[in-house]
Structure formats: structure tokens, C-alpha cells
Amino acid sequence: MVSIIVPTYNERENLTPLLERIESTLRFLEDYEVIVVDDDSPDRTWRKARELSEDYPLKVVRRKDERGLGTAVVCGLKESSHDVVVVMDADLQHPPEKIPDLVSEIKEGVDIAIGSRFVEGGDKGEFGFFRRLMSRGADFLARTLFRRIRDIRDIQSGFFAFKKDIVGCTDLNPIGYKILLEILIQADYDEVSEVGYKFGERSSGKSKLGVESILDYLRHLWSLSKRTGEISRFFKFCVAGAVGTVLNLVVTFMLTTSGLFYFFSGAIGIEIGLLSNFFVNKAWAFRDRKISGHELVGRALFRDHVVRSGGILLNLFVLWTLTSLLGFYYLISQMVGIGIATLWNFGGNKWWTWEK
Ligand code: GDD
Ligand code: MN
């Protein structure tokens, strides 16, 4: 038995064909209910939906106080009565004929089955250049922030099925469109699979995706980063860096005043700073990665040196480019360089140094 959640905003014309296609697909296969969550559409989609609920197993929620695809799905989830949930758009860009494939994945034990444009049998349909570019950028950002989704091809999909109990006690707080991303990052699941489908043409009306959704997406990523602790990890990483820098200066000063040539004191200072960074990060910022044992720690230490050497080169490159090519004051260039190198070092630590 499945609950099919369909968020709508001005989709009046699409509801009838949508329900017809769902019905003819599932009639002999599955008991189902459709839950339309409409945000008080000016075209009165909700009214049309209520009419259709005489002929189809359809529940209609008309939200008057809130808008947004993501929260609409969360609202539909609360109204749903079955253990397997499917989320799909109303405009027929997601083919209802694929619902059985998604659902059978779940029945075979998968926790989340994603309708995917980027696996075998998938097709991304007609996408303009601009939208493709945005989609790439959006993907890249999310993948850099969250390790958990790195093996999933279509993280932006709006067509998917899942077991309801994986979101049991999780607070879902999506902002904007990406309810799947919210679930992939916050829910408690083991197995994900992807089922190819062709992203069709919109059958009627127009897309609501606009500039505002880009901002929403960034806000959503920020909120997820806070909730998953990635922001605080970054802060810890910076504090570790600051401690290392102070130590570097103190060691350089002490060795030099006790007679060592400043250049050698500096080199030792750098290495001490590096080691201090490393161990503070090991015990604090990257504690959850649980790196221990001579071999793993040694490898991480080696990797950290490689990453940070790259950071120094990057810093120098920025310093030179901004100062000599673009005419910035050298200390400004250096500050920008430090900022960029910090991001590089953090990325390197997050994606490589502390990997098992
Ligand atoms: N309740 C509600 N409230 N529904 C909304 C809202 C809203 O504020 N905004 C959009 N919807 C509904 C639309 O009515 C439609 O049924 C569905 O959400 C998708 O909206 P579209 O405007 O058609 O989105 P799209 O076609 O540009 O993008 C879709 O496909 C992408 C690629 O798979 C979405 O599903 C994206 O999430 C997805 O990434
Ligand atoms: Mn659409």
C-alpha cells in the first residue's frame, strides 16, 4: 500500500491526466492513496482536486498559511496513512508508469528508491543551457558539503519512493524545492537505489522554479550544514589553525632568541604548527572519523602535509596574482590567499586526510 504525495501550485489542468495515469498504472497492482498538498493556488487547484476525490482515492490538503514544495511534502507525509511513500510532481514530468518500479525496489528492501535521470534508462529531457549549468553547480555544492550523498547520481530528483519509518523521529525542515536532499542527509537509512526515468515535458502550465529558488537552495544547504555539524567542524578547524599559528610564532621566536638562525627556527616553527593542527583536528574537528593506529595516523599525517603544501602554493599563487597582475595591496592579497588556502586545506582534510 502506497501513499503518493503530490505538491501542487497552479496545476489545475494537470490533475485529471495525472490521476488517470496513476489509476491505470496501479489499478491491478497496488492499493494506494494520492495526497495533493496545494498551497491555496490562485487557479484553485484545490477545488479541482476536491472534485476529483469523488472518483479517485484522493486526499486534498489546502494550505493557506505556508508555501513551498519541500514543506508541502512534509505536510503530505503527516497526512499519509501507508508505510511506503512516493513523492512526485503534478505536471507529468515524472511518469506515473514508473511508480511500480520504485515501489518494488522498496519491497525488495531498499530504503529510498530514486527516480533518476542519470542512470541506465534515465533521460534528463529538454533542459536549457542555463538550467543545466545551475543544476551542475547545485550538485557540486551539495556534494562538496555532504559525504553521505556522494555515490548518488540524481540528488536533485523530485521523484522518489521511501519507507516512511526512515524519517520516523527526524525533524524535516526543508527550505525550497529539495525535499529529497533533506531526506538523504537527515533520515536514518541504509540502502538507496536509483531507477532510470525520462524527465518529460511539462504537460500544462509553467515551472515555478525561479531566482528565489536559487536563494532557497543556498539557505537550505546552509541550514543542513548547521544541522549536520559541518559548520561547527569548520569553526573547530579554524580554531585549530589559529592555535597552530600561535605555536608556530612562539617556537620560531624562542628558537631564534636562543641562537638558532631565524630561517631554521621558522622551518621548525612551521612543522610544529602543522603537527599541532593535525592533532587538534584529530581529537576535535575530525574526531568522528575515528582515525587511530600507527598506520592510519601516519597516512593521515602524510596526507595532511601534502594538502597543506598545496595550500601554501595556492596561497602564494593568489598573493602573486592579486598583487602583481591585479594591483591589489599585498596584505589584502595575502588575506585573500589565506582565506582560499584555508578552504583548500579544509576540503583536503575533509575529503582525503581523514578518510579511511
Ligand atoms: N504545494 C506546493 N507549493 N507545490 C509546489 C510549490 C509550492 O510552493 N512550488 C512548486 N510546487 C509543485 C508544482 O506544482 C509541481 O507539481 C512540482 O511542485 C514541481 O514544480 P515545478 O515548478 O514543475 O518544478 P520543475 O519542473 O522546475 O522541477 C522539478 O524537477 C526537477 C528535476 O527532477 C522538481 O521536481 C525539482 O525538485 C526537480 O529537481
Ligand atoms: Mn515541472
Side-chain angles (χ1 to χ4, degrees):
M1 299 216 281
V2 289
S3 298
I4 303 171
I5 301 178
V6 182
T8 59
Y9 194 74
N10 289 342
E11 303 286 1
R12 192 181 53 194
E13 301 306 324
N14 292 323
L15 281 185
T16 308
L18 176 74
L19 285 156
E20 276 168 4
R21 280 172 65 179
I22 292 178
E23 169 66 17
S24 59
T25 306
L26 296 182
R27 185 167 11 187
F28 303 115
L29 283 179
E30 205 78 59
D31 247 346
Y32 71 94
E33 61 173 359
V34 175
I35 300 164
V36 163
V37 185
D38 185 72
D39 291 351
D40 207 18
S41 298
D43 80 348
R44 295 166 197 263
T45 305
W46 44 271
R47 178 179 289 173
K48 179 80 192 170
R50 278 183 197 155
E51 283 167 27
L52 285 164
S53 67
E54 318 227 312
D55 304 320
Y56 297 97
L58 175 60
K59 234 187 219 177
V60 185
V61 182
R62 178 184 175 190
R63 291 199 307 173
K64 291 188 178 167
D65 47 355
E66 214 179 343
R67 261 214 64 183
L69 198 169
T71 53
V73 171
V74 176
C75 169
L77 207 54
K78 290 188 187 123
E79 298 293 324
S80 66
S81 30
H82 302 315
D83 296 336
V84 179
V85 175
V86 172
V87 175
M88 71 188 297
D89 295 350
D91 55 4
L92 296 165
Q93 293 192 280
H94 299 151
E97 293 71 27
K98 280 279 169 186
I99 295 173
D101 289 354
L102 293 175
V103 171
S104 69
E105 290 287 305
I106 304 295
K107 285 185 179 156
E108 277 163 30
V110 169
D111 296 307
I112 307 175
I114 303 174
S116 173
R117 294 162 292 174
F118 309 125
V119 296
E120 216 188 296
D123 186 332
K124 59 186 180 323
E126 298 298 313
F127 258 103
F129 173 75
F130 182 68
R131 192 139 173 210
R132 246 187 1 245
L133 194 76
M134 296 310 300
S135 173
R136 280 283 168 82
D139 245 51
F140 175 77
L141 265 182
R143 284 177 199 289
T144 333
L145 285 168
F146 309 110
R147 258 157 119 239
R148 204 173 179 194
I149 54 175
R150 69 182 146 182
D151 297 326
I152 298 167
R153 308 290 298 279
D154 199 348
I155 54 174
Q156 311 288 351
S157 180
F159 185 31
F160 56 99
F162 61 102
K163 282 188 195 136
K164 203 159 80 181
D165 63 9
I166 66 167
V167 296
C169 342
T170 331
D171 255 338
L172 293 178
N173 276 309
I175 304 173
Y177 259 58
K178 299 303 171 189
I179 179 66
L180 174 63
L181 193 62
E182 174 82 15
I183 292 174
L184 284 173
I185 289 168
Q186 292 293 81
D188 181 17
Y189 60 90
D190 297 315
E191 218 184 314
V192 178
S193 74
E194 293 183 71
V195 174
Y197 82 96
K198 181 178 177 355
F199 190 71
E201 295 278 330
R202 189 171 238 286
S203 117
S204 165
K206 49 180 196 289
S207 168
K208 284 95 209 168
L209 203 80
V211 181
E212 186 62 24
S213 350
I214 300 176
L215 294 178
D216 278 345
Y217 183 69
L218 296 176
R219 279 189 219 118
H220 192 198
L221 289 185
W222 177 257
S223 138
L224 280 169
S225 307
K226 275 203 301 210
R227 284 181 278 153
T228 54
E230 281 310 313
I231 299 292
S232 78
R233 191 203 293 285
F234 182 65
F235 266 107
K236 291 172 186 167
F237 182 82
C238 291
V239 171
V243 172
T245 307
V246 171
L247 211 63
N248 175 347
L249 289 172
V250 170
V251 169
T252 307
F253 173 76
M254 284 184 9
L255 291 179
T256 309
T257 44
S258 52
L260 193 64
F261 185 48
Y262 82 92
F263 193 76
F264 296 124
S265 330
I268 296 172
I270 289 174
E271 185 56 30
I272 300 279
L274 245 149
L275 288 173
S276 133
N277 272 344
F278 180 82
F279 285 104
V280 174
N281 281 328
K282 179 177 178 301
W284 197 30
F286 288 95
R287 180 190 184 145
D288 58 327
R289 301 283 175 96
K290 299 195 174 75
I291 295 291
S292 64
H294 287 311
E295 204 173 308
L296 283 182
V297 174
R299 193 179 70 182
L301 190 58
F302 169 74
R303 287 177 173 182
D304 196 34
H305 278 74
V306 174
V307 168
R308 287 178 196 269
S309 306
I312 292 170
L313 292 180
L314 194 62
N315 191 342
L316 289 172
F317 176 74
V318 172
L319 173 63
W320 177 78
T321 316
L322 291 189
T323 312
S324 293
L325 291 188
L326 300 174
F328 281 90
Y329 181 55
Y330 73 100
L331 284 181
I332 300 286
S333 315
Q334 182 71 328
M335 264 156 48
V336 176
I338 291 174
I340 292 178
T342 304
L343 288 178
W344 162 275
N345 288 338
F346 182 66
N349 267 251
K350 188 174 143 122
W351 285 95
W352 193 48
T353 303
W354 304 103
E355 289 292 339
K356 279 205 174 119

XYZ file of all heavy atoms in Angstrom, residues 8 29 34 41 47 60 116 168 170 187 205 217 278 283 333 337 339:
114
model
N 1.257 20.706 -5.134
C 0.791 21.441 -6.320
C 0.731 22.935 -6.071
O 0.438 23.410 -4.968
C -0.641 21.015 -6.731
O -1.530 21.266 -5.637
C -0.703 19.558 -7.126
N -2.401 -3.434 -9.320
C -1.131 -3.728 -8.653
C -1.123 -3.396 -7.177
O -0.565 -4.111 -6.359
C -0.004 -2.906 -9.306
C 0.556 -3.355 -10.635
C 1.638 -2.377 -11.070
C 1.121 -4.763 -10.503
N -3.660 9.044 -3.042
C -2.905 10.203 -3.507
C -3.202 11.334 -2.541
O -4.348 11.520 -2.124
C -3.328 10.600 -4.938
C -2.622 11.895 -5.361
C -3.020 9.487 -5.930
N -3.620 27.548 -4.306
C -3.320 28.054 -5.656
C -4.369 29.032 -6.159
O -5.573 28.766 -6.039
C -3.281 26.898 -6.654
O -2.274 25.989 -6.338
N -9.692 23.099 -5.498
C -11.108 22.829 -5.770
C -11.262 21.689 -6.769
O -12.046 20.764 -6.585
C -11.800 24.086 -6.302
C -13.250 23.814 -6.644
C -13.960 25.032 -7.145
N -14.195 26.000 -6.089
C -14.683 27.225 -6.311
N -14.943 27.614 -7.542
N -14.898 28.048 -5.305
N -7.160 15.743 -0.106
C -6.701 17.071 -0.507
C -6.376 17.899 0.734
O -7.186 18.011 1.650
C -7.791 17.802 -1.318
C -7.244 19.136 -1.821
C -8.255 16.945 -2.478
N 15.681 8.441 -11.353
C 16.942 9.097 -11.674
C 17.077 9.361 -13.166
O 16.798 8.501 -13.994
C 18.093 8.205 -11.198
O 19.326 8.720 -11.618
N 11.139 8.544 10.720
C 10.409 8.459 11.982
C 10.572 9.623 12.938
O 9.650 10.408 13.132
N 13.016 11.950 12.726
C 13.817 13.041 12.191
C 12.952 14.286 11.989
O 11.835 14.184 11.507
C 14.390 12.659 10.802
O 14.562 11.268 10.758
C 15.662 13.387 10.527
N 17.719 11.642 7.099
C 16.982 10.454 7.523
C 17.917 9.321 7.935
O 19.124 9.377 7.724
C 16.049 9.986 6.417
N 0.709 24.491 -18.006
C 1.154 25.456 -17.006
C 2.657 25.663 -17.074
O 3.309 25.212 -18.005
N 17.754 27.402 -2.178
C 18.648 26.251 -2.198
C 19.883 26.518 -1.338
O 20.286 25.686 -0.533
C 19.052 25.945 -3.642
C 19.914 24.723 -3.786
C 19.388 23.458 -3.541
C 21.251 24.823 -4.156
C 20.179 22.324 -3.669
C 22.056 23.700 -4.290
C 21.510 22.453 -4.046
O 22.298 21.336 -4.168
N 47.324 19.169 13.212
C 46.935 17.790 12.926
C 46.310 17.127 14.149
O 45.222 16.541 14.076
C 48.166 17.005 12.459
C 47.867 15.571 12.151
C 47.331 15.209 10.925
C 48.115 14.577 13.091
C 47.049 13.886 10.633
C 47.830 13.251 12.813
C 47.296 12.898 11.573
N 41.654 15.151 17.317
C 40.916 14.966 18.561
C 39.613 15.756 18.600
O 38.751 15.521 19.436
C 41.790 15.387 19.738
N 45.981 41.018 -0.618
C 46.149 39.777 -1.390
C 46.460 38.614 -0.466
O 45.947 37.509 -0.628
C 47.315 39.899 -2.374
O 47.285 41.119 -3.041
N 44.475 35.224 0.062
C 45.213 33.969 -0.102
C 45.029 33.047 1.091
O 44.786 31.846 0.935
N 42.555 33.033 3.176
C 41.180 32.548 3.158
C 41.007 31.381 2.202
O 40.448 30.334 2.549
